[in-house]
Amino acid sequence: MEIRVIGRKEECETAKQYYDSLRSHPQTRSVSISTFYPCRGSAELFRVYIKIEYYDEPGAGGEVKRTDATALDKRTINNAHVSVIRKRSSQT
């Protein structure tokens, strides 16, 4: 699965940290995370590219898991976004 995350630098950093933490998960085959790239025409928005592959069974080689990966990523991105918003709110 390939994921492009677009947002402010701290939002992209939150997503990057989350996907990096999945490296040790038993259902994760591999994780590759790019550096930050600025979005064209914006000084505030950045993007980061993530490639992640899942196994069907925890810790087992074989087919890449295709079923719940999309739901996991939507939930993850939403949680990362909510986390950044809460962090900003508590700093003001």
Side-chain angles (χ1 to χ4, degrees), residues 56-67:
D56 278 336
E57 298 176 22
E63 293 297 312
V64 175
K65 182 175 183 179
R66 288 172 170 62
T67 49

Side-chain angles (χ1 to χ4, degrees), residues 14-71:
T14 300
K16 194 173 176 179
Q17 288 172 2
Y18 173 80
Y19 284 104
D20 191 46
S21 74
L22 289 180
R23 290 181 197 273
S24 60
H25 192 277
Q27 283 187 282
T28 302
R29 178 185 283 185
S30 68
V31 177
S32 174
I33 303 171
S34 73
T35 58
F36 293 111
Y37 296 98
C39 287
R40 292 179 205 108
S42 176
E44 294 180 21
L45 294 179
F46 291 84
R47 62 192 195 276
V48 65
Y49 296 92
I50 299 157
K51 291 182 182 178
I52 188 164
E53 293 181 280
Y54 296 98
Y55 290 120
D56 278 336
E57 298 176 22
E63 293 297 312
V64 175
K65 182 175 183 179
R66 288 172 170 62
T67 49
D68 295 328
T70 304

